[in-house]
Amino acid sequence: MSWIQLIFVVDVNKVEPLSDALEAFMAQAITTENAGADEYYEVAFPGNPTWKKVQLTALFDDAIDVAPIVEFVQKQFADSAQTEIPVQIEKLVDQDWERVWLSSFKPIEVGSNLWICPSWCEPTDPNARNITLDPGLAFGTGTHATTHMCLRWLADQSLEGQRVLDYGSGTGILAIAALLSGASHADAVDIDPLAVAACDENAQRNGVTDQISSLLPEQLEPEPAHRYPLVIANILAEVILDLRETLLAHLQPNGTLLLTGILASQADRVIAAFGEKMSYTTHQQDQWCLIVATPKT
Ligand SMILES: C[S@@+](CC[C@H](N)C(=O)[O-])C[C@H]1O[C@@H](n2cnc3c(N)ncnc32)[C@H](O)[C@@H]1O
């Protein structure tokens, strides 16, 4: 999956209507940051920054033609035809691996002794940890930078006997990788019924149906009797921020939280939202960031 981002610089009073308009054009995520040097803090909302000039970034599926969106924004939001709103259009290229994967269908080593292998290929190393996975509708073939960073991290863990939560599980790739690193069970949650079905299918393909529960969010207990020592979420930053309470509610007090789907420029905001009770390490691949949050010692 690839993305196109539109980056506008607007006066702060335009942020809300512009965000609403971009959402109506199917923006997948909208983020704002200060575009000027004159940052000040709103008295009524301590700690909540407001800025005079805001850089607003909207992320779109690259199948969408963004030219009419830019035209609409200029017509509706520019003060005059002479003072157009500054805009940059950037393609966020997911790795060429996506194309390589689809064209060559070869097993790929994605972490230490951890391989993704299409069902029609013989594993390169039958004794390695092999995940059988085919390209499909759900996100998560192992080659996206965010998935890849999680896989590399999971490959180096010893999760003996742990029950883990994979929130935003897509194909279930991370849940399966956690099992291959010793976890006893994975609860894989996704908002998309197609992903839930794909995860079930992949659990079957990998012979771990008894160890994976593939669930819609409403099927996960809101007030869990059982909390997880490891919670993984590879979703976009805005969604992770919305899910903060849920993710923390399911995490054991001494548990580890793996957060990605976050652009490197958004990492500080996510870390600030999850608070000072945890320690954070970050990893970066391309423009994406993986945050590993562990309890403070
Ligand atoms: C970037 S994909 C990650 C898939 C896989 N875990 C991986 O690492 O490759 C994000 C997944 O989160 C799901 N998702 C998005 N919003 C969600 C939400 N609010 N609750 C649960 N899942 C969500 C999407 O349907 C998608 O399958």
Side-chain angles (χ1 to χ4, degrees):
M1 202 164 172
S2 298
W3 304 94
I4 288 192
Q5 59 181 12
L6 299 184
I7 306 169
F8 300 99
V9 175
V10 289
D11 293 340
V12 69
N13 61 334
K14 290 183 178 159
V15 169
E16 212 176 303
L18 177 56
S19 300
D20 290 346
L22 293 169
E23 272 172 11
F25 277 110
M26 305 298 287
Q28 300 287 311
I30 293 175
T31 52
T32 50
E33 53 197 283
N34 188 16
D38 52 348
E39 183 171 340
Y40 66 98
Y41 289 86
E42 182 86 329
V43 178
F45 301 100
N48 189 23
T50 59
W51 308 296
K52 290 178 186 167
K53 282 275 182 201
V54 174
Q55 176 173 300
L56 186 150
T57 304
L59 199 63
F60 294 88
D61 187 320
D62 81 339
I64 290 180
D65 178 9
V66 294
I69 303 176
V70 173
E71 199 179 318
F72 174 87
V73 169
Q74 297 297 3
K75 261 199 199 133
Q76 293 296 314
F77 293 96
D79 291 328
S80 72
Q82 283 72 45
T83 53
E84 286 204 331
I85 291 175
V87 57
Q88 287 174 57
I89 303 175
E90 288 179 0
K91 193 169 165 70
L92 294 187
V93 185
D94 278 2
Q95 305 276 315
D96 268 358
W97 47 253
E98 192 85 288
R99 188 171 46 75
V100 172
W101 167 262
L102 285 166
S103 60
S104 62
F105 301 120
K106 286 194 186 112
I108 308 172
E109 188 172 22
V110 287
S112 159
N113 198 35
L114 178 66
W115 291 74
I116 307 295
C117 183
S119 57
W120 54 88
C121 290
E122 285 300 318
T124 307
D125 176 0
N127 297 319
R129 294 177 290 180
N130 288 298
I131 301 178
T132 306
L133 202 77
D134 296 337
L137 282 178
F139 185 106
T141 54
T143 42
H144 189 271
T146 57
T147 315
H148 199 180
M149 285 189 285
C150 290
L151 289 169
R152 275 208 305 269
W153 187 88
L154 285 166
D156 292 338
Q157 305 305 308
S158 174
L159 304 175
E160 260 19 82
Q162 295 186 16
R163 184 175 184 127
V164 305
L165 175 61
D166 176 10
Y167 211 101
S169 48
T171 57
I173 186 171
L174 302 181
I176 298 171
L179 295 177
L180 290 175
S181 286
S184 57
H185 197 96
D187 289 324
V189 175
D190 204 290
I191 202 168
D192 179 355
L194 278 177
V196 174
C199 180
D200 268 337
E201 199 177 311
N202 287 321
Q204 205 169 0
R205 226 175 230 167
N206 286 276
V208 291
T209 36
D210 291 348
Q211 291 170 277
I212 291 194
S213 307
S214 187
L215 309 165
L216 289 165
E218 57 269 28
Q219 294 172 303
L220 192 68
E221 294 171 69
E223 307 265 335
H226 172 89
R227 291 179 174 219
Y228 301 83
L230 174 62
V231 173
I232 307 165
N234 178 7
I235 323 183
L236 292 172
E238 295 304 322
V239 183
I240 286 179
L241 291 171
D242 283 351
L243 287 171
R244 180 185 164 277
E245 296 287 321
T246 306
L247 298 174
L248 290 175
H250 285 85
L251 185 67
Q252 277 181 4
N254 58 349
T256 298
L257 189 55
L258 212 58
L259 301 174
T260 188
I262 298 159
L263 293 168
S265 58
Q266 299 169 326
D268 286 348
R269 199 154 61 90
V270 173
I271 289 171
F274 277 78
E276 289 175 2
K277 286 196 180 144
M278 290 187 282
S279 301
Y280 300 91
T281 51
T282 57
H283 307 252
Q284 195 176 332
Q285 186 174 327
D286 306 328
Q287 66 271 58
W288 298 97
C289 181
L290 167 70
I291 300 173
V292 183
T294 47
K296 269 192 177 154
T297 46

